Amino acid sequence: MSLSKLAFTRIRDAIVSGDLAFGERLSEVQIAEALEMSKAPVRTAFLELRDRRLVTIVPQAGTYVFSPSREDVHEMSSFRAILETAGMRLSLQAARATVLDTLATTIPRMEKALGEGNWKDYEAADMEYHLAFINNSGNSYLPQAYDLTAPAIKALRVRLQAGTGAYRKQSFGEHKQILRHLEAGDPDQAAEALRAHIMVINEAKLDLPEKRGSRAKALNRSLEEYRQIFR
């Protein structure tokens, strides 16, 4: 893996996990030192993160973690709902048995992780569930389009789920409902349930700016804090 790719992956994961806050200013110099590399690969990583809409680069001001507005969240979730419901229908035509088997396999893994409070395992099973529709669609462009918003959506969900299991319990029930509709041979009901499952994030009580372009007050992290994040 190249240094720029490594930097991209580490910074992306820190944003998604919530270790780096929405709207905070990122120090290219300190991140490079924390990752034990030069500034060049970090700068390249910032550009790729910008293209994925995970950071905003403001000329003469710096690079900031993305700070989604309510409008942004609605657009991202709508885009994801369009892709996933289309992916569901295509994947049922192309690989129905594989899709249903994958969904049925992830459900007990989610249930086990939910009972144990193992949110990392829950997220992994959740992602595998949704990617079953995308990766089995038979359309090579769909995964690339899906990846445009997947990290940002995951970052929102991580923050929504932090501290309580209520959202995950609701989400788990919706996963089971979607599978029941598919097993019953009712893709229309499954697609509607999937769309509602994705769009529910718009009703979440997240501390987000109301208007696009707003940023949280920039944090000033120390080098030691960056080292802790990227350890």
Side-chain angles (χ1 to χ4, degrees), residues 91-223:
S91 65
L92 291 174
Q93 295 173 7
R96 177 182 175 83
T98 299
V99 171
L100 293 183
D101 183 63
T102 300
L103 301 187
T105 300
T106 59
I107 291 294
R109 286 168 51 201
M110 285 187 217
E111 186 171 24
K112 181 175 184 291
L114 195 61
E116 296 174 350
N118 189 330
W119 308 137
K120 184 177 180 180
D121 283 358
Y122 186 90
E123 284 297 322
D126 187 324
M127 181 59 70
E128 187 175 336
Y129 181 104
H130 288 277
L131 285 177
F133 303 130
I134 303 301
N135 293 339
N136 292 289
S137 67
N139 187 313
S140 62
Y141 289 91
L142 204 53
Q144 185 177 11
Y146 188 77
D147 194 45
L148 284 174
T149 58
I153 288 287
K154 186 175 180 181
L156 288 164
R157 292 174 59 229
V158 165
R159 287 158 176 80
L160 177 62
Q161 294 166 353
T164 68
Y167 180 83
R168 288 187 179 91
K169 289 178 181 177
Q170 176 185 340
S171 172
F172 177 60
E174 291 165 353
H175 285 104
K176 291 195 294 183
Q177 181 186 44
I178 293 164
L179 177 56
R180 283 196 297 268
H181 288 313
L182 291 176
E183 290 175 332
D186 194 341
D188 291 337
Q189 284 293 322
E192 183 55 37
L194 177 60
R195 184 182 184 282
H197 168 70
I198 293 168
M199 296 299 289
V200 74
I201 199 167
N202 291 282
E203 302 167 13
K205 295 180 180 179
L206 289 166
D207 184 18
L208 300 174
E210 290 299 322
K211 294 183 179 180
R212 194 172 276 167
S214 301
R215 282 197 303 274
K217 184 178 180 181
L219 300 176
N220 292 310
R221 293 191 184 272
S222 67
L223 174 59

Side-chain angles (χ1 to χ4, degrees), residues 24-27 46 55-65 215:
E24 77 164 273
R25 189 177 187 277
L26 301 177
S27 169
F46 282 172
V55 305
T56 301
I57 299 176
V58 182
Q60 311 305 317
T63 298
Y64 298 82
V65 176
R215 282 197 303 274

Side-chain angles (χ1 to χ4, degrees), residues 34-55:
L35 292 174
E36 299 182 341
M37 59 180 67
S38 68
K39 292 187 295 182
V42 173
R43 191 175 304 125
T44 301
F46 282 172
L47 294 174
E48 186 172 356
L49 290 162
R50 179 200 61 188
D51 292 342
R52 302 293 184 92
R53 300 192 179 188
L54 289 174
V55 305

